[in-house]
């Protein structure tokens, strides 16, 4: 079945570090991928829609210069948290669906738990 | 008011019980998803519905488009079913999903 691979699964780093998270669709192509953030015991919050070959669409309140998204190929989107601070500590997760077929479910990565010290 | 409301927020039951989780939404949709999130955080897509009913193993999902309501049922529940179950809808013409708050299910042996 369709698989989305997200890497790394966990990051612990110092304040001021930039952290890159990768989201890959392993056996399908995805022109669109989604990036979410989730705080403990809360629901998923959409951060941005990543579009292959064009700029990402950010949700209101999400700083595009803070959360850089690159979707350079049909199977890979990256989210870079620039100059991360403790308040950026959260669970980040991506999703994608097969753009070659209609009416497809979203497939989610396993998420990245980011801890900024 | 959220576009997607789930109930209950928390549910604890004994192994073997029949479980029902409800989802109501307020917008026209092209699809409704039921997702399962385990304690480690990973999310599995259980069902995608636009009408009627779907069944997979012990899981059944139904949707009533006119009433803007969906239910997820688990028969013969088991401790391994313990997870957060999330209802999400895709509005007509939209790509992104709107999520409910989730239902935290605990099945005790």
């Amino acid at each position: 079945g369709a698989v989305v691979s997200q890497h790394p699964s966990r990051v612990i780093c110092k304040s001021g570090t930039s952290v890159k998270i990768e989201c890959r669709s392993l056996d399908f192509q995805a022109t669109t991928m989604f990036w979410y953030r989730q705080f403990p015991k809360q629901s998923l919050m959409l951060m941005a829609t990543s579009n292959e070959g064009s700029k990402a669409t950010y949700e209101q309140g999400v700083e595009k210069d803070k959360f850089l998204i690159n979707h350079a190929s049909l199977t890979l989107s990256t989210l870079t948290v620039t100059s991360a601070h403790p308040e950026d500590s959260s669970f980040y997760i991506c999703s994608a669906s097969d753009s070659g077929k209609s009416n497809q479910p979203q497939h989610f990565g396993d998420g990245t738990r980011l801890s900024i010290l | 008011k959220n576009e997607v409301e789930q109930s209950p927020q928390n549910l604890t039951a004994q192994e073997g019980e029949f479980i029902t989780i409800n989802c109501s939404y307020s917008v026209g949709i092209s699809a409704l998803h039921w997702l399962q999130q385990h304690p480690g955080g990973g999310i599995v897509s259980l069902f995608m519905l636009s009408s009627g009913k779907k069944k997979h193993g012990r899981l059944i999902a139904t949707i009533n488009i006119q009433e803007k309501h969906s239910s997820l049922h688990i028969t013969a529940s088991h401790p391994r079913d313990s997870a957060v179950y999330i209802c999400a809808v895709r509005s007509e013409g939209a790509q992104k999903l709107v999520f409910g708050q989730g239902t935290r299910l605990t099945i005790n042996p």
Side-chain angles (χ1 to χ4, degrees), chain A residues 31-32 34 36 38 41-46 49 51 59 91 93 103-111 113, chain B residues 6 30-31 33 35 37 39-45 47-48 50 84 86 90 95-97 99-102 104:
Chain A
T31 53
T32 302
F34 299 93
Y36 308 91
Q38 186 178 37
K41 304 209 173 178
Q42 292 189 23
S43 191
L44 295 165
M45 182 193 79
L46 179 66
T49 303
N51 304 299
E59 295 298 300
F91 185 68
I93 193 165
N103 229 18
Q104 292 295 297
Q106 287 289 321
H107 301 284
F108 290 80
D110 285 336
R113 198 162 300 280
Chain B
Q6 281 184 242
S30 57
H33 298 250
L35 310 171
Q37 185 171 31
I43 293 177
V44 174
S45 178
F47 295 103
M48 186 178 76
S50 54
V84 175
I86 303 169
R90 188 169 72 236
Q95 289 183 308
K96 63 184 182 183
L97 295 176
F99 296 88
Q101 320 94 300
R104 188 173 299 275

Side-chain angles (χ1 to χ4, degrees), chain A:
Chain A
V3 175
V4 171
S5 173
Q6 189 173 338
H7 179 80
S9 58
R10 185 170 179 90
V11 180
I12 302 173
C13 57
K14 294 180 179 179
S15 186
T17 307
S18 290
V19 177
K20 181 186 280 189
I21 303 169
E22 293 187 348
C23 182
R24 291 181 186 274
S25 56
L26 294 186
D27 53 359
F28 63 94
Q29 293 183 333
T31 53
T32 302
M33 294 185 179
F34 299 93
W35 287 98
Y36 308 91
R37 183 173 183 175
Q38 186 178 37
F39 291 105
K41 304 209 173 178
Q42 292 189 23
S43 191
L44 295 165
M45 182 193 79
L46 179 66
M47 298 175 67
T49 303
S50 172
N51 304 299
E52 187 268 334
S54 65
K55 291 182 180 179
T57 306
Y58 289 83
E59 295 298 300
Q60 193 172 9
V62 178
E63 298 175 58
K64 63 180 185 208
D65 295 330
K66 173 75 172 174
F67 299 99
L68 299 178
I69 290 173
N70 184 278
H71 194 152
S73 79
L74 286 170
T75 58
L76 174 64
S77 174
T78 61
L79 168 69
T80 301
V81 183
T82 61
S83 187
H85 287 91
E87 59 266 28
D88 299 321
S89 299
S90 190
F91 185 68
Y92 295 85
I93 193 165
C94 67
S95 75
S97 63
D98 190 335
S99 55
K101 302 175 183 176
S102 62
N103 229 18
Q104 292 295 297
Q106 287 289 321
H107 301 284
F108 290 80
D110 285 336
T112 298
R113 198 162 300 280
L114 177 61
S115 300
I116 307 298
L117 305 176

Side-chain angles (χ1 to χ4, degrees), chain B residues 15-37:
Chain B
E15 184 173 355
E17 286 189 39
F18 182 80
I19 302 299
T20 296
I21 300 170
N22 296 299
C23 175
S24 296
Y25 53 92
S26 57
V27 296
I29 66 168
S30 57
L32 181 143
H33 298 250
W34 280 103
L35 310 171
Q36 180 191 55
Q37 185 171 31

Side-chain angles (χ1 to χ4, degrees), chain B residues 67-94:
Chain B
E67 294 185 3
K68 292 185 166 62
H69 181 269
S70 176
S71 293
L72 176 69
H73 304 286
I74 305 175
T75 62
S77 60
H78 191 276
R80 65 175 176 266
D81 297 325
S82 299
V84 175
Y85 291 84
I86 303 169
C87 172
V89 302
R90 188 169 72 236
S91 300
E92 292 167 338

